[in-house]
Amino acid sequence: RNADDISSEEYGEFYKSLSNDWEEHLAVKHFSVEGQLEFRALLFIPKRAPFDLFENKKGKNNIKLYVRRVFIMDNCEDLIPEYLNFVKGVVDSEDLPLNISREMLQQNKILKVIRKNLVKKIMELIEEINEDKDNFKKFYEQFSKNLKLGIHEDSTNRKKIAGYLRYFTSASGDEQASLTDYVSRMKENQKDIYYITGESKEVVAASAFVERLKKRGLEVVYMTEPIDEYVVQQLKEFDGKNLVSVTKEGLELPEDEEEKKKKEADKEKFEPLCKLMKTSWTEVRGVVSSGCLLPCCIVTSQYGWTANMERIMKAQALRDTSTMGYMAAKKHLEINPDHAILENLRVVGDKAH
């Protein structure tokens, strides 16, 4: 039937019979594609995620495939990517052969074109939800993990999906903010987006790394879900700004000429102490002077896992211990040249030499 002739009540009834859901759907997209190939589709986004959304044992998706109104199968894995497995609906193709087998479906070019169109339409549907702040909040609460998985899996739509991500930040209060909001609040001389990964909002907010940036009036994005570690591995930049972890070595904050000169002087002044500490403490890869607020702090190397990622990997029940050795975070010690304790240590070190 034509989409214009169908009432929202009819869509609601059809959705409930299709999905066995007791609630209405959150959004619907009804469309047909004509041209080189013809198909019609009706897609629904539910209001809440099923509790077993990421269980591997169940069917991969909820899209039923029909060919010229004859039912073919109800979990065609190639019809939609895994991260969009929460979308429910029906696809009716005019071009696929009726006697098609599962094996032939996997090689079928028509199916690839249908898949591409479905993803495009689902992105449009998410964009429509995004226009209503309250509706998007409900959607994001339920399906944020899917969007983050999309960043990891779907390089074509990565940029678009990144715009839908929401995080708490050091300046957002009780509301989550998008990366676009963050960029709009950036300081004039700020080139990067700063983030920290950790267990919870409370834990990361109390971190000394965050305190250092807040003191300078810089905003930090709080990434508190394990999947965020995989997001930042793929999402290197947003809107031309690099994503930089505040817990890794080599963090460069915006500085004026005076601060640069002081930093160079401190580096020279504390070099003998740094060398002495490195030789007597073999667990760390390097010792450098930096602007941390505590007497000293441990940062991880630029490449490899963050300390939070190491914690997540250690918690895996079926983890592969062989990767732990070379992927585990390499520790670097950063010392605060302005702290009295370090100044005393420097004096003692100089006397010893």
Side-chain angles (χ1 to χ4, degrees):
R1 282 167 64 184
N2 193 337
D4 300 334
D5 306 337
I6 304 169
S7 67
S8 55
E9 285 79 21
E10 285 177 294
Y11 277 130
E13 288 304 314
F14 182 76
Y15 167 72
K16 284 176 182 174
S17 67
L18 178 79
S19 63
N20 297 326
D21 199 344
W22 49 274
E23 267 191 312
E24 291 272 315
H25 52 278
L26 181 66
V28 61
K29 192 92 170 159
H30 188 178
F31 62 96
S32 59
V33 172
E34 288 163 7
Q36 286 179 318
L37 82 163
E38 281 182 42
F39 74 89
R40 289 186 300 280
L42 179 55
L43 304 173
F44 295 95
I45 290 182
K47 273 189 179 165
R48 64 181 70 232
F51 63 90
D52 55 354
L53 185 63
F54 293 106
E55 292 281 331
N56 291 330
K57 295 182 187 71
K58 67 191 278 285
K60 288 282 184 229
N61 66 47
N62 300 290
I63 306 248
K64 297 185 191 305
L65 176 65
Y66 288 75
V67 173
R68 294 191 283 282
R69 299 197 183 142
V70 176
F71 176 66
I72 303 295
M73 63 172 73
D74 59 1
N75 61 346
C76 177
E77 289 174 19
D78 298 305
L79 210 49
I80 204 161
E82 191 188 347
Y83 76 95
L84 294 173
N85 64 355
F86 60 90
V87 177
K88 300 177 191 291
V90 179
V91 173
D92 183 18
S93 166
E94 294 291 324
D95 304 279
L96 286 166
L98 272 169
N99 60 347
I100 195 160
S101 69
R102 251 173 209 275
E103 287 72 26
M104 280 171 70
L105 262 177
Q106 284 170 346
Q107 268 85 53
N108 200 292
K109 284 195 177 79
I110 296 168
L111 207 65
K112 289 189 176 110
V113 179
I114 293 176
R115 176 188 170 116
K116 195 177 167 186
N117 276 286
L118 289 181
V119 173
K120 186 180 159 195
K121 291 292 181 185
I122 293 167
M123 287 300 147
E124 285 174 19
L125 189 52
I126 294 172
E127 183 54 48
E128 284 168 26
I129 298 172
N130 191 30
E131 285 163 15
D132 180 333
K133 199 178 173 187
D134 291 339
N135 252 0
F136 188 78
K137 196 176 175 185
K138 285 177 202 163
F139 168 78
Y140 194 77
E141 272 171 18
Q142 297 297 321
F143 303 112
S144 61
K145 282 193 178 72
N146 294 76
L147 293 178
K148 289 171 183 180
L149 188 61
I151 295 271
H152 193 66
E153 287 183 354
D154 188 349
S155 54
T156 317
N157 292 299
R158 189 170 290 151
K159 200 174 168 185
K160 196 175 280 182
I161 299 168
Y164 300 133
L165 297 182
R166 299 287 183 271
Y167 291 106
F168 288 108
T169 75
S170 56
S172 70
D174 296 332
E175 285 290 313
Q176 288 185 313
S178 67
L179 293 174
T180 312
D181 296 335
Y182 180 101
V183 171
S184 69
R185 293 195 289 258
M186 276 170 66
K187 289 192 151 195
E188 269 181 48
N189 59 347
Q190 187 182 339
K191 296 187 189 74
D192 304 316
I193 294 171
Y194 301 111
Y195 71 88
I196 182 168
T197 53
E199 241 174 306
S200 67
K201 185 187 167 191
E202 291 71 31
V203 169
V204 292
S207 162
F209 296 108
V210 172
E211 204 54 51
R212 177 185 168 191
L213 275 85
K214 276 167 76 177
K215 197 177 173 189
R216 286 166 163 263
L218 297 168
E219 190 174 354
V220 185
V221 178
Y222 298 157
M223 298 191 172
T224 54
E225 287 192 336
I227 197 167
D228 289 324
E229 287 282 358
Y230 298 95
V231 168
V232 290
Q233 283 173 21
Q234 299 296 337
L235 191 69
K236 299 288 184 202
E237 58 105 48
F238 179 81
D239 198 11
K241 312 280 188 289
N242 290 332
L243 269 79
V244 175
S245 170
V246 299
T247 63
K248 289 196 170 186
E249 59 156 344
L251 175 66
E252 289 181 9
L253 301 177
E255 292 173 322
D256 55 33
E257 283 306 310
E258 209 173 292
E259 286 173 318
K260 279 180 189 167
K261 279 178 189 166
K262 184 184 178 305
K263 192 177 173 183
E264 284 303 315
D266 285 340
K267 193 176 173 185
E268 211 171 295
K269 188 176 165 187
F270 279 83
E271 201 168 341
L273 178 64
C274 290
K275 282 180 179 168
L276 182 65
M277 289 173 94
K278 191 179 180 315
T279 50
S280 55
W281 197 5
T282 51
E283 287 89 347
V284 293
R285 290 284 296 272
V287 181
V288 291
S289 68
S290 82
C292 65
L293 299 180
L294 298 170
C296 62
C297 57
I298 292 206
V299 293
T300 50
S301 62
Q302 196 78 44
Y303 307 102
W305 292 338
T306 60
N308 184 53
M309 183 64 164
E310 196 176 330
R311 179 183 65 81
I312 292 164
M313 295 310 282
K314 278 180 178 170
Q316 302 286 342
L318 303 171
R319 73 173 188 268
D320 175 12
T321 47
S322 63
T323 60
M324 293 299 280
Y326 61 86
M327 283 305 288
K330 308 287 186 288
K331 313 291 188 296
H332 289 251
L333 182 73
E334 289 193 353
I335 59 173
N336 178 0
D338 298 329
H339 203 283
I341 293 175
L342 270 301
E343 183 56 38
N344 290 343
L345 278 174
R346 187 186 69 79
V347 173
V348 170
D350 287 351
K351 279 178 185 169
H353 278 75

